[in-house]
Amino acid sequence: MSTRPGRRAVLATGLAAGATAALAGCATGGTGTKGGPAPEVKKDDGKKLSGSITVWSWDVAAKALKRLAADFQQKNPGTTVTVRDIGYDSAYDKITVGLKSGSGLPDVLTVEGPRMVTYMGNFPQGFYDLTKLAGPSEKDFDKASWKTVVNPQGKVVALPWDIGPCATFYRGDYFRAAGIKPESIATWDDYVKAGEQLKKRTGRKMLILDSVEDSTFAMLLQQQGQHFYVDGKVAVDSPEGVKAATLLKTLADKGLVDYQKGWDGLVTGTKEGKAATESSAAWWMGTLTADAPELKGKFGVMPMPAFTAGGVRTSNRGGSVLAVPGQSKHPELAYAFVQFLLTSAPNQVSMLKQEGLFPAYLPALADPYLSSPQEYFGGQAALKVFADLAPSTPPVEYTKDGAKATEIMFSTISGILLRDKDPKQALESAAAQIAAATGRQRIAG
Amino acid sequence: MAAPTSTLPPAPVAAPPPPPVHRRRRHRVIPWVFAGPAAVLFIVFFAYPLGASLLQSFTAERDGASVWVGFDQYRRMASDPAFLESLFNVGLILLVQVPLMVVLALLLAGLLNQSWLRFKGTWRALYFLPAVTTLVAYAVVFQVLLKTDGGLANQFLAVFGLGPIDWLNDPAWARISLIASLTWRWAGYNAVILLAGLQAIGKEQYEAAALDGAGTFATYRRIIVPQLRPVILFCAVTSTIGTLQLFDENYVLTRGGPDNATLSPVVYLYKTGFEQLDFGYAAAIAWVVVALIAVLSIAQYFLFGREKRR
């Protein structure tokens, strides 16, 4: 191979831009790079909304915003809302560079919950303080996702949009062929046994994991009420962590795992029927109906297996928030748009219906649409399963160092699954690495 | 700067010469007018970010502010298993893939240089093509080729009753896949460069060798390779630099996984900087990569270049 420009050059430029901004920040005190509290949006009830704002989002989320932006403009003459689909793959590069350099960001940002925590921890000045405006709505939002919008200083800097309550999707046809009753799977032990039976009778695997960047571990950890950090200390090697990793290793050792790479691998693997189950969030329904219409009638949804009988049978995967960056020139209008979208049951329900975004806004969950039978799931009221499970999702602690732990955990889990490392030892070594990278303490494992 | 008076037309005798001080000043300004924009661009987009990133490598982010931490980031690297594994990975590629590829390129160049070969231009273009292929096409091709179920490579193996191999999901096979894909992408590129070198060798040298009774192997060993030394050096140095800066191939194929088996320092730099927002550490990694490239390039120059001077 040879030297060549390409993505690297672009990245180098990006990094340089970041560096430039860091210096500029030191010299001029640009927003986003220095410490101190976030600026506050002034509320002025008497003033009529006007002006124009830009919103960044991607995929179906952008589609939902575009659709509702038209409604918003109609209700507020004299305002313009431009929604830009910046694409998921480069979204965080753009947002990171914008926050770091203190310029170039739009008026409203879409950010996934855990990412938002990383951003607001690293850029205390990067977002508007919405406490006075959004604070009163706290009781209306899912408590797990509310944790992703409050910064370390206790200020509300975003509003939760959608959440990812989890359940287990299963192939009814495979289960029938293997003589497995979904009701009989109450714990992960039952799940492993069912998997063995399935493999023996049909030769099929039980689940799909990503060989490089799998987030099932985090989901299993949250099911047990924790994430990578507890009380600010590294906790990946806690007894809960060991349980989650051991479960994954058991499944792998028994040959019940089909490895695929990335999102596309998961989707195609599912389409091809590589595995009988997938424990995932409510938004996975949208992917199934859109990308695998031919599998209509084959899927059912049940609560996730619990770690102990009678234990929690759900978790959270994904979910996002809308924030107003500190660079916005029209924060009042930006927040008004966010509020219009997210604190309205009809708007939230319409985004669930049309774009499959499961609302974090609890009043929306009472809508009759959620208990209606769904043709794709053979007439099962699949959304109801998620709606019923959502309130029991354990809220967990996210920190600004979430991304560092995530990265190290990806390779640790791959090591356990593919290089046959001992779960406990591998997790202890991961905890040491995360502690070294973040300067945080470890909880006694 | 050229001598100012020599390039001017001779001044008319009648006219008094302009004051020398003023003239000299004007000649000092004009080159800057031409070089200025380039210099400004260089300073703004190259020199300044370079200096800034060096400074940044001595800082860490603490609650949104940059704090001076001295050599902490560099010390951290020494005990960071992911970074050390990324160095091991590129080291492996340097030792295995680069020599393999240069030898393969040399053979290809030899073939392309044969007088009996027809459609030479077409062959050259074909071998060069992978190097100019867009990353997206490259990624798609290798995903299709190396897919575990129904991928072309596994279908081929199945004909002989072998496989299937989990090419991209198994740490060891992922490394092999990466080495193979790098070779596919860059062997032809190097072959075309070596071919240019081959064509610079005069026909009379081959004739003289043939008259002296040298066989094919002896001709290669005594005539071709020594004459090609600077070109081979060029290929080796650029390939070394490319390997140390490895990003595209392993990022699109495996994202550096599984379990960091294909992680390169630059992918790690990217993840640290842009995914973990640890800019100081990322900048420090960048400078270590720069230092490694400098050291290895100089070492190669002395190892390969010395013979030439004899």
Side-chain angles (χ1 to χ4, degrees), chain A residues 92-108:
Chain A
Y92 289 117
D93 290 352
K94 282 188 174 148
I95 297 173
T96 303
V97 170
L99 281 168
K100 184 85 181 137
S101 63
S103 70
L105 290 182
D107 302 279
V108 177

Side-chain angles (χ1 to χ4, degrees), chain A residues 1 4 8 33 122 211 261, chain B residues 64 101 169 186 239 245 253:
Chain A
M1 47 180 284
R4 59 214 176 266
R8 244 190 349 265
T33 50
N122 284 293
S211 58
K261 213 175 60 61
Chain B
M101 179 183 65
N169 297 320
W186 297 107
S239 297
Q245 296 186 331
L253 275 186

Side-chain angles (χ1 to χ4, degrees), chain A residues 1-10 12, chain B residues 97 101 130-133 135 138 178 181-182 185-186 189-190 238-251 264:
Chain A
M1 47 180 284
S2 161
T3 47
R4 59 214 176 266
R7 178 139 193 193
R8 244 190 349 265
V10 178
Chain B
Q97 191 264 340
M101 179 183 65
V132 293
T133 309
L135 210 57
Y138 168 82
L178 177 63
S181 75
L182 284 174
R185 196 158 185 220
W186 297 107
Y189 171 87
N190 285 303
T238 52
S239 297
T240 303
I241 294 172
T243 302
L244 283 165
Q245 296 186 331
L246 183 64
F247 182 91
D248 307 346
E249 289 86 350
N250 58 341
Y251 191 76
S264 64

Side-chain angles (χ1 to χ4, degrees), chain A residues 1-8 11 13-24 26 32-36 89 92-93 96-97 100 115 118-119 121-124 153 210-213 258-261 268 272 274 400-401 403-405 407-408 410-412 414-416 418-419 421 429 433 436-438, chain B residues 48-49 52-53 55-56 61 63-66 76 80-82 85 97 101 135 143 147-149 166 168-172 175 182 185-187 189-190 235 238-243 245-249 251-261 266 269-271 273-279 282-283 286:
Chain A
M1 47 180 284
S2 161
T3 47
R4 59 214 176 266
R7 178 139 193 193
R8 244 190 349 265
L11 291 172
T13 318
L15 203 69
T20 310
L23 290 185
C26 292
T33 50
K34 66 170 189 184
D89 289 334
Y92 289 117
D93 290 352
T96 303
V97 170
K100 184 85 181 137
R115 281 276 188 172
T118 304
Y119 280 140
N122 284 293
F123 302 104
Q153 289 77 37
D210 187 329
S211 58
V212 180
E213 300 185 338
D258 180 67
Y259 293 104
Q260 298 286 344
K261 213 175 60 61
T268 46
E272 290 166 7
K274 295 280 179 225
K400 72 183 178 66
D401 295 325
K404 282 182 192 166
E407 201 58 52
I408 292 169
F410 280 154
S411 72
T412 303
S414 298
I416 292 171
L418 302 163
R419 284 181 165 166
K421 290 186 184 161
S429 135
Q433 280 181 57
T438 59
Chain B
Y48 173 63
S53 81
L55 280 180
Q56 195 173 31
E61 308 282 315
D63 300 317
S66 289
R76 194 177 138 193
D80 179 348
E85 179 142 17
Q97 191 264 340
M101 179 183 65
L135 210 57
Q143 303 282 9
K147 207 169 168 281
T148 307
D149 310 282
D166 217 351
L168 296 176
N169 297 320
D170 179 90
R175 276 196 184 128
L182 284 174
R185 196 158 185 220
W186 297 107
Y189 171 87
N190 285 303
C235 288
T238 52
S239 297
T240 303
I241 294 172
T243 302
Q245 296 186 331
L246 183 64
F247 182 91
D248 307 346
E249 289 86 350
Y251 191 76
V252 298
L253 275 186
T254 55
R255 291 198 149 235
D259 193 13
N260 296 340
V266 182
L269 180 166
Y270 168 74
K271 288 183 166 184
F274 285 87
E275 289 178 2
Q276 304 174 20
L277 311 181
D278 203 344
F279 297 103

Side-chain angles (χ1 to χ4, degrees), chain A residues 305-326:
Chain A
F307 274 90
T308 47
V312 176
R313 299 195 62 178
T314 188
S315 186
N316 184 67
R317 239 180 180 177
S320 52
V321 306
L322 288 178
V324 183

Side-chain angles (χ1 to χ4, degrees), chain A residues 28-111:
Chain A
T28 62
T31 49
T33 50
K34 66 170 189 184
E40 207 178 329
V41 178
K42 302 274 182 298
K43 196 178 178 181
D44 189 355
D45 282 329
K47 218 168 81 182
K48 195 173 154 285
L49 288 170
S50 67
S52 59
I53 53 166
T54 315
V55 184
W56 278 2
S57 196
W58 54 80
D59 294 339
V60 287
K63 229 191 270 174
L65 291 175
K66 276 180 191 159
R67 189 167 56 78
L68 290 171
D71 288 3
F72 181 78
Q73 290 175 31
Q74 212 169 25
K75 289 207 174 73
N76 298 281
T79 63
T80 322
V81 179
T82 315
V83 178
R84 226 171 265 151
D85 185 343
I86 55 169
Y88 182 75
D89 289 334
S90 62
Y92 289 117
D93 290 352
K94 282 188 174 148
I95 297 173
T96 303
V97 170
L99 281 168
K100 184 85 181 137
S101 63
S103 70
L105 290 182
D107 302 279
V108 177
L109 278 182
T110 310
V111 185

